[in-house]
Amino acid sequence: MWFGEKFAPVPVTEFMLFEEYLEFLKNINIAVFNY
């Protein structure tokens, strides 16, 4: 696997407050968004 131990899919399935969402984004390097 390319990412090894770093790969941990975490789907966001519930509403987050904006500030909480910004903190969440600070802790990830790559994201896949389904528009």
Side-chain angles (χ1 to χ4, degrees):
M1 185 185 298
W2 291 356
F3 302 110
E5 295 291 324
K6 291 184 173 188
F7 182 74
V10 180
V12 177
T13 60
E14 296 181 13
F15 180 80
M16 290 182 176
L17 295 174
F18 184 67
E19 293 81 14
E20 184 181 352
Y21 181 65
L22 291 178
E23 287 299 316
F24 177 75
L25 291 179
K26 287 180 185 178
N27 294 311
I28 59 175
N29 294 320
I30 298 173
V32 177
F33 295 91
N34 182 14
Y35 285 100

